[in-house]
């Protein structure tokens, strides 16, 4: 906080902070870190005294009662045969128009994209200059978002890119590429969709960044002279997750975005037509929440979209478990005002989503944690919440204790049998300090497939 007021620690001078930026020039021009203090030393001391006096000595632990948790049934756990050839996962995707699984991975500073066929065997591994964070599908091309530097360090940070790789019609493998966008600040998501309604695909890029970032739309004009019109919707670091919906039912696609990094908020960017968007902040969270993921679902089936929200970014050193991490449902009153109606505590939530796995008309909730409390004897890194009644859920966990540390997942009909399956992706190993003697099963690699075996009522 002091650095934003121009107050720097003796061991960390301003020059070193600037060296930690992805875009050093932009940070200097913004005067984000003033050369001289902007408040008096007396006022700064009062701020410090306030936090030291009000901060609790410790936080309560989040413990799931054994009596309330059951083992997940109805899914077959599949460890793919060539799993050992995959690296630490950063993104999982399925293409709804084609069979196969797309696995983005990282090793050191470099990345790769593995494409698995319908037999879950590797059809191609594409080497990449940095970790992939998103994949969008074309007919014979893939648009891949590259993070640049995932872990930042002074003087060594790389910009991210958006590239497109191509294959010839009829070919199975991709053989060429071109760069579409460069100089991106840790991009985490790219949506390629016709947002402005002119029949052409637009591009929405979320640059999570660090000191600098942005949420930007590139509208496809359809003209060779200026094929894309660039509009910065919000020029701040922190956009981490976006979804496209017509949320006010006016016939135009709106952009719903979650921002982290200090000013944590979910905003709706209402599409006013002709490339104009108006932001409305519909949910705000404390800067300690660690916002990470959300989904849009009509939970109470009243015709209005509700919000499922997950918070648990805990990249502190060392990570501190927080009882306010977890999953929340915010109900829509019909005018896009949202009220919390459900909370499920879960340390370190990294991703959440809802889907109807058993086709009973109700939505189950899936969440994974990359920052669970490793000191607890019980695992809290995966949960499947089954609705028993409106806003009442029964938690289910995996039966086998695997050595995987889940970072993401993907929902899709992997085996094309008409129901939804689940993919879990690991980045690193899970070490449970709270129960060292408990047998942990080693996986061959970082990917786990949960094939849906639930008996579905077809009447």
């Amino acid at each position: 906080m002091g650095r934003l007021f121009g107050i720097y620690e003796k061991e960390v001078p301003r020059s070193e902070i600037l060296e930690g930026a992805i875009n050093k020039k932009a940070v200097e021009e913004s005067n984000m870190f003033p050369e001289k203090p902007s408040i008096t030393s007396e006022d700064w001391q009062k701020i410090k005294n306030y936090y030291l006096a009000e901060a609790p000595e410790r936080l309560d632990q989040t413990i799931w009662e054994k009596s309330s948790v059951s083992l997940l049934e109805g899914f077959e756990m599949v460890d793919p045969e060539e799993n050992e050839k995959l690296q630490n996962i950063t993104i999982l995707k399925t293409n709804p128009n084609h069979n196969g699984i797309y696995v983005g991975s990282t090793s050191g500073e470099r990345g790769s994209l593995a494409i698995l066929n319908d037999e879950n065997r590797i059809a191609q591994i594409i080497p990449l200059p940095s970790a992939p964070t998103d994949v969008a599908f074309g007919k014979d091309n893939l648009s891949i978002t590259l993070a640049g530097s995932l872990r930042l360090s002074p003087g060594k940070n790389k910009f991210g890119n958006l590239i497109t790789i191509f294959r010839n019609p009829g070919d199975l493998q991709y053989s060429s590429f071109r760069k579409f966008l460069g100089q991106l600040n840790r991009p985490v998501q790219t949506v390629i969709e016709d947002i402005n309604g002119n029949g052409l695909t637009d591009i929405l890029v979320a640059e999570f960044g660090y000191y600098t970032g942005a949420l930007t739309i590139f509208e496809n004009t359809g003209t060779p002279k200026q094929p894309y019109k660039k509009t910065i919707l919000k020029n701040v670091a922190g956009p981490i997750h976006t979804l496209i919906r017509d949320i006010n039912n006016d016939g135009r696609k709106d952009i719903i975005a979650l921002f982290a990094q200090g000013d944590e908020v979910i905003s709706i960017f209402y599409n006013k037509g002709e490339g104009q968007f108006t932001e409305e902040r519909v949910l705000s969270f404390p800067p300690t929440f660690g916002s990470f993921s959300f989904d849009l679902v009509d939970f109470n089936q009243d015709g209005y979209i509700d919000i499922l929200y997950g918070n648990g970014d805990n990249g502190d050193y060392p990570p501190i478990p927080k009882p306010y991490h977890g999953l929340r449902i915010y109900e829509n009153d019909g005018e896009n005002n949202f009220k919390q109606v459900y909370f499920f505590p879960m340390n370190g939530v990294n991703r959440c989503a809802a889907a109807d796995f058993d086709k009973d008309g109700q939505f189950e909730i899936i969440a994974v944690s990359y920052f669970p409390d490793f000191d607890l004897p019980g695992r809290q890194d995966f949960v499947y919440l089954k609705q028993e009644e409106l806003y009442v859920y029964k938690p289910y966990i995996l039966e086998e204790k695997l050595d995987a540390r889940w970072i993401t997942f993907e929902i899709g009909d992997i085996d094309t049998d008409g129901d939804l399956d689940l993919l879990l992706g690991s980045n690193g190993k899970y070490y449970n300090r709270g129960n060292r003697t408990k047998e942990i099963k080693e996986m061959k690699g970082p990917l786990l497939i949960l094939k849906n075996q639930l008996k579905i009522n077809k009447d």
Side-chain angles (χ1 to χ4, degrees):
M1 186 190 299
R3 298 171 183 179
L4 299 176
F5 291 125
I7 300 172
Y8 306 100
E9 309 95 305
K10 291 181 180 179
E11 66 274 14
V12 185
R14 179 175 180 269
S15 59
E16 183 176 327
I17 295 169
L18 294 177
E19 286 297 320
I22 301 171
N23 189 339
K24 180 180 176 181
K25 180 180 178 182
V27 173
E28 287 184 303
E29 290 176 350
S30 71
N31 197 34
M32 182 180 299
F33 302 106
E35 291 189 48
K36 297 181 179 180
S38 58
I39 62 173
T40 65
S41 57
E42 290 80 8
D43 286 342
W44 174 237
Q45 188 61 48
K46 290 178 182 178
I47 293 173
K48 291 194 295 182
N49 291 343
Y50 169 80
Y51 279 96
L52 290 172
E54 297 297 324
E57 292 294 328
R58 60 185 300 276
L59 295 172
D60 294 333
Q61 283 186 310
T62 296
I63 298 176
W64 297 350
E65 297 294 336
K66 289 184 179 181
S67 59
S68 67
V69 178
S70 298
L71 298 179
L72 181 64
E73 298 179 346
F75 290 86
E76 177 191 358
M77 299 175 67
V78 178
D79 193 349
E81 190 171 332
E82 296 183 298
N83 210 355
E84 73 279 356
K85 296 181 181 179
L86 303 176
Q87 300 171 331
N88 288 332
I89 290 176
T90 56
I91 186 73
L92 288 172
K93 282 282 189 173
T94 56
N95 186 343
N97 299 318
H98 301 280
N99 295 343
I101 302 169
Y102 296 76
V103 184
S105 302
T106 182
S107 178
E109 294 185 355
R110 302 190 66 82
S112 64
L113 180 69
I115 303 173
L116 279 60
N117 60 24
D118 54 4
E119 297 177 348
N120 301 325
R121 299 187 66 88
I122 295 174
Q124 185 178 4
I125 295 182
I126 303 166
L128 299 168
S130 67
T133 53
D134 204 357
V135 180
F137 303 100
K139 183 178 180 181
D140 285 304
N141 63 77
L142 299 173
S143 295
I144 305 174
T145 308
L146 301 175
S149 296
L150 276 178
R151 295 175 176 84
L152 303 179
S153 58
K156 296 182 180 180
N157 298 323
K158 298 188 300 182
F159 282 105
N161 302 289
L162 175 62
I163 66 171
T164 304
I165 61 174
F166 301 89
R167 66 184 176 193
N168 295 321
D171 286 356
L172 296 177
Q173 297 208 337
Y174 296 87
S175 55
S176 62
F177 84 97
R178 69 178 173 88
K179 182 189 293 186
F180 179 78
L181 291 173
Q183 301 288 297
L184 299 176
N185 292 273
R186 272 207 297 183
V188 294
Q189 187 184 13
T190 301
V191 178
I192 299 181
E193 185 175 334
D194 180 11
I195 300 174
N196 61 11
N198 66 353
L200 304 172
T201 52
D202 309 303
I203 301 172
L204 178 70
V205 181
E207 297 174 72
F208 183 70
Y210 186 38
Y211 302 142
T212 54
L215 181 64
T216 307
I217 185 172
F218 296 83
E219 291 187 271
N220 194 330
T221 65
T223 60
K225 187 175 181 181
Q226 187 188 10
Y228 288 94
K229 175 189 174 184
K230 177 181 177 181
T231 301
I232 297 177
L233 298 175
K234 196 163 186 174
N235 190 21
V236 298
I240 194 169
H241 192 188
T242 66
L243 291 171
I244 310 296
R245 297 285 193 280
D246 178 8
I247 202 165
N248 59 351
N249 299 314
D250 66 351
R252 301 189 185 102
K253 293 181 179 179
D254 307 303
I255 298 168
I256 302 90
L258 171 63
F259 293 82
Q261 292 205 47
D263 187 14
E264 303 198 9
V265 62
I266 293 178
S267 285
I268 300 174
F269 293 85
Y270 288 106
N271 189 342
K272 299 299 183 180
E274 299 183 353
Q276 301 298 312
F277 292 83
T278 301
E279 180 188 6
E280 180 182 348
R281 296 161 62 100
V282 294
L283 289 174
S284 296
F285 313 101
T288 55
F289 257 41
S291 299
F292 225 119
S293 181
F294 77 103
D295 201 1
L296 299 174
V297 181
D298 184 3
F299 283 102
N300 59 354
Q301 300 182 22
D302 64 351
Y304 302 105
I305 295 175
D306 309 306
I307 295 176
L308 169 67
Y309 163 79
N311 66 302
D313 186 1
N314 206 6
D316 307 307
Y317 300 96
I320 301 170
K322 299 176 173 68
Y324 45 82
H325 281 177
L327 305 167
R328 291 170 171 83
I329 295 175
Y330 293 90
E331 187 179 81
N332 191 337
D333 68 353
E335 297 182 357
N336 293 333
N337 301 307
F338 296 89
K339 177 183 178 182
Q340 181 177 318
V341 292
Y342 176 75
F343 173 65
F344 180 81
M346 184 177 184
N347 285 310
V349 172
N350 205 70
R351 183 157 188 247
C352 64
D356 185 1
F357 285 92
D358 55 8
K359 294 190 175 181
D360 64 351
Q362 298 175 339
F363 290 92
E364 289 76 54
I365 297 172
I366 302 292
V368 294
S369 167
Y370 191 65
F371 294 102
D373 190 341
F374 293 103
D375 290 324
L376 291 178
R379 294 283 288 265
Q380 297 186 7
D381 57 330
F382 167 88
V383 73
Y384 174 104
L385 296 176
K386 170 68 176 172
Q387 181 175 319
E388 296 185 324
E389 57 183 274
L390 185 60
Y391 307 136
V392 177
Y393 291 85
K394 170 77 173 178
Y396 293 83
I397 61 174
L398 297 178
E399 180 176 4
E400 292 191 83
K401 306 300 185 289
L402 305 174
D403 66 346
R405 185 177 178 185
W406 309 123
I407 194 169
T408 190
F409 62 84
E410 171 77 338
I411 298 171
D413 186 5
I414 309 302
D415 50 10
T416 64
D417 65 349
D419 55 31
L420 293 174
D421 308 298
L422 183 62
L423 300 171
L424 297 180
S426 172
N427 192 308
K429 296 290 186 179
Y430 185 100
Y431 299 103
N432 193 336
R433 297 184 293 262
N435 196 352
R436 299 174 188 270
T437 60
K438 186 74 175 179
E439 183 178 352
I440 294 180
K441 179 181 178 181
E442 290 189 11
M443 290 178 58
K444 288 184 291 187
L447 176 63
L448 178 67
I449 301 174
L450 296 179
K451 294 179 67 174
N452 194 340
Q453 305 292 311
L454 295 172
K455 295 181 180 179
I456 297 173
N457 185 0
K458 297 182 179 181
D459 295 337

